[in-house]
Amino acid sequence: MVLRICSVNVFVDNSLRIMRQASSLMGTRGLSMVLKPTFYGQFVGGDSEEELRHTAHKLTSAGLRLMVCPVQEEDAGEADQLNEEKYDRNLAYIMETGSIMARTGTEIPNLQFKVTAFMPADLVVKLSVLLSRGTYSMEALVSRLSAAMNVGYETDTRKEVNDITSCVTEGQINDLSAQETSQLRRGLIRVKTLGVMARKLGLNLLVDAEYTYMNPGISAVALTMMQEFNTTSAIVSNTYQCYLKDAYESIQKDKSLILTRKGHFGAKIVRGAYMEKERKMAKEQGRPSPVCQSYEDTNTKYDQVIAHMIEYISQDPAGYLVVASHNETSVSRASEMITQKGLKTTGSVVFGQIYGMGEQISMPLANSGHIVYKSVPYGPLLEVLPYLSRRAAENRVVLSGARKERALLSAELRRRMNILD
Ligand SMILES: Cc1cc2nc3c(=O)[nH]c(=O)nc-3n(C[C@H](O)[C@H](O)[C@H](O)COP(=O)(O)OP(=O)(O)OC[C@H]3O[C@@H](n4cnc5c(N)ncnc54)[C@H](O)[C@@H]3O)c2cc1C
């Protein structure tokens, strides 16, 4: 029923408004009683250690692994210029989530995160502009971010702007104001703190991709983390969206940057969630869309990027690849290649699907010996709802395409009812 409702466009478009109105009529408790066993229960892994442990246990007993997706994120224009506390709170929450994940006993838990949880989205946009204008090459920016991240790492992140800017002259970025320099440095210290924790607890970190106006800045931060932490194996991975026309070139460039610096490259490969908005923005701004012309073009690109990454991992087993897709054709092509290269159980190539969806893909993969993660959103009901609503709108193609899944579920329900008769 949940999957059926999620396939109705009117519901998806108005989901947040419907939930807010329901909340004002029923109160938070009433809303919680309706949503916990339905939408929240279907797609969210809980909001306490006990609930996440329970979710992890259910996954492990089905032969699947835990990937957690905290809901903290920010879009351009949403930042409160002076409020660094929000990003500190996000760090504390995501680090606590990481420690809980480590205590669930899941083998190498994967933690997704958004760079905009740790620094203002407007700043990430600015880094992207510096890259696209050619003020810095990706190599030069990563070197500077790396210097800014490391000089005086122990320094208190709340120090006054002047103190902080004085110790980042080595990683100074032209064109950023003193305040932006301070925000950048604080953000970099936060991601480094997360990386240090992940290394200590044995987690893998997956940096999520967002909109094209932020992605170059996000990649610069992700590559800086890879350079810092992927020295013996790839514990940090960046995400590549194959609906983008330049996906193949981007991943090749980023990989060679990391390999030149003697690191191991990690990538989560997705088709991309923001197609409608990307196309709309391009149209409004009168520029060509960055998104592939057709679904078929995206599919071809996806399979091409996956083949390229599997080839790389077969040369460097310390690299990491997450094949993040619910597309049966892509998944079975990847599975064949992985098996052919003998990479099925090495742990360096894994699959990822969203929790609450695509069981007909996850289970056969796991049963045939592949390593499969389910991406589980985690957080309190009221914080998760806006997140779920945005994801439902972004993933409407997937939700409306869950027909086969719904048919399989109905058939199984009927079978069980017949047994009861
Ligand atoms: C573990 C995991 C992590 C993820 N992380 C991210 C992330 O960090 N960033 C992100 O953006 N997304 C992320 N996603 C979502 C992902 O990008 C896709 O939206 C989603 O997985 C649907 O693609 P698919 O391969 O599963 O399946 P499919 O249903 O086969 O593909 C649907 C996708 O194809 C593309 N598409 C559809 N129609 C067209 C068209 N006409 N022209 C061009 N392309 C088209 C779109 O990307 C659409 O989402 C993640 C997904 C998973 C499972």
Side-chain angles (χ1 to χ4, degrees):
M1 184 195 74
V2 168
L3 289 178
R4 182 85 193 89
I5 294 175
C6 288
S7 70
V8 178
N9 270 338
V10 185
F11 174 79
V12 169
D13 290 334
N14 297 293
S15 54
L16 199 55
R17 198 146 49 90
I18 296 169
M19 285 190 268
R20 288 209 172 114
Q21 275 173 2
S23 171
S24 62
L25 283 174
M26 298 188 250
T28 314
R29 255 189 80 161
L31 185 70
S32 168
M33 278 167 65
V34 174
L35 293 184
K36 277 249 167 162
T38 53
F39 295 90
Y40 187 93
Q42 175 76 16
F43 295 118
V44 184
D47 65 355
S48 65
E49 171 152 8
E50 197 193 340
E51 286 178 5
L52 192 59
R53 272 175 185 265
H54 178 66
T55 304
H57 178 72
K58 272 198 309 188
L59 292 177
T60 311
S61 54
L64 304 167
R65 290 192 189 177
L66 179 69
M67 176 187 290
V68 171
C69 172
V71 298
Q72 288 77 12
E73 62 186 353
E74 181 181 291
D75 199 356
E78 286 178 2
D80 173 352
Q81 284 304 310
L82 301 170
N83 191 358
E84 287 285 316
E85 273 173 28
K86 171 177 141 187
Y87 309 113
D88 287 339
R89 269 200 314 275
N90 287 347
L91 177 64
Y93 189 85
I94 292 174
M95 298 241 320
E96 174 57 18
T97 307
S99 329
I100 298 175
M101 289 167 71
R103 291 197 290 272
T104 60
T106 300
E107 217 173 317
I108 318 183
N110 277 209
L111 177 59
Q112 286 178 250
F113 73 91
K114 296 205 163 53
V115 167
T116 54
F118 300 122
M119 62 181 80
D122 294 334
L123 179 62
V124 180
V125 172
K126 191 139 186 195
L127 293 179
S128 306
V129 170
L130 293 179
L131 285 163
S132 60
R133 277 199 198 134
T135 312
Y136 289 100
S137 64
M138 187 59 98
E139 286 81 359
L141 188 60
V142 168
S143 299
R144 279 165 192 258
L145 294 187
S146 179
M149 182 194 254
N150 282 307
V151 177
Y153 168 65
E154 302 300 335
T155 322
D156 180 354
T157 58
R158 285 166 204 266
K159 268 200 163 186
E160 286 308 306
V161 173
N162 286 346
D163 279 347
I164 287 173
T165 45
S166 68
C167 68
V168 294
T169 41
E170 244 181 275
Q172 189 66 48
I173 315 278
N174 297 335
D175 294 353
L176 291 191
S177 67
Q179 191 193 32
E180 287 166 337
T181 305
S182 157
Q183 290 174 328
L184 179 62
R185 175 159 168 72
R186 286 181 171 129
L188 290 170
I189 287 181
R190 291 185 191 102
V191 292
K192 177 155 180 180
T193 308
L194 185 69
V196 169
M197 183 207 72
R199 187 164 54 194
K200 197 166 134 215
L201 297 181
L203 309 178
N204 279 344
L205 294 179
L206 310 175
V207 181
D208 282 347
E210 303 181 49
Y211 295 104
T212 44
Y213 53 80
M214 285 198 265
N215 282 342
I218 292 171
S219 290
V221 175
L223 293 172
T224 307
M225 290 187 77
M226 278 194 218
Q227 181 177 304
E228 183 73 25
F229 294 105
N230 290 4
T231 45
T232 46
S233 68
I235 63 170
V236 179
S237 296
N238 193 20
T239 298
Y240 295 87
Q241 297 158 318
C242 295
Y243 65 15
L244 295 179
K245 289 171 186 160
D246 65 356
Y248 188 66
E249 291 71 29
S250 299
I251 197 164
Q252 275 185 319
K253 273 195 215 148
D254 288 1
K255 179 159 64 58
S256 73
L257 189 153
I258 292 302
L259 298 189
T260 314
R261 296 179 186 200
K262 307 275 177 266
H264 303 282
F265 185 68
K268 163 157 68 83
I269 309 298
V270 301
R271 277 185 167 71
Y274 312 104
M275 178 176 78
E276 288 175 22
K277 189 165 166 192
E278 290 288 0
R279 283 185 169 159
K280 189 165 167 247
M281 281 186 305
K283 199 171 172 196
E284 281 166 6
Q285 293 162 11
R287 56 178 168 84
S289 168
V291 176
C292 292
Q293 206 71 37
S294 66
Y295 181 48
E296 289 67 33
D297 288 355
T298 298
N299 295 344
T300 308
K301 193 140 299 204
Y302 191 88
D303 295 343
Q304 183 191 24
V305 170
I306 291 287
H308 177 77
M309 272 304 293
I310 293 176
E311 191 54 47
Y312 159 65
I313 302 280
S314 69
Q315 312 287 320
D316 177 12
Y320 194 56
L321 167 64
V322 184
V323 182
S325 177
H326 312 93
N327 181 296
E328 282 188 35
T329 312
S330 292
V331 162
S332 68
R333 279 194 187 141
S335 161
E336 258 173 48
M337 274 187 272
I338 293 164
T339 310
Q340 239 174 40
K341 298 273 180 193
L343 296 169
K344 211 172 183 176
T345 52
T346 57
S348 47
V349 186
V350 304
F351 288 89
Q353 279 97 39
I354 290 169
Y355 181 68
M357 286 180 60
E359 313 304 2
Q360 80 282 10
I361 300 189
S362 307
M363 292 311 301
L365 277 174
N367 288 340
S368 71
H370 286 289
I371 298 173
V372 185
Y373 285 82
K374 293 300 268 193
S375 169
V376 178
Y378 174 74
L381 182 79
L382 290 182
E383 271 183 51
V384 170
L385 293 184
Y387 173 89
L388 277 185
S389 161
R390 280 195 296 274
R391 293 296 95 88
E394 287 152 14
N395 284 308
R396 76 175 75 229
V397 191
V398 185
L399 287 166
S400 61
R403 266 187 218 102
K404 180 166 177 194
E405 191 161 359
R406 293 201 306 269
L408 287 168
L409 286 166
S410 305
E412 178 59 13
L413 201 58
R414 276 196 300 277
R415 189 186 70 84
R416 290 187 193 190
M417 284 163 138
N418 285 339
I419 290 173
L420 287 179
D421 282 350

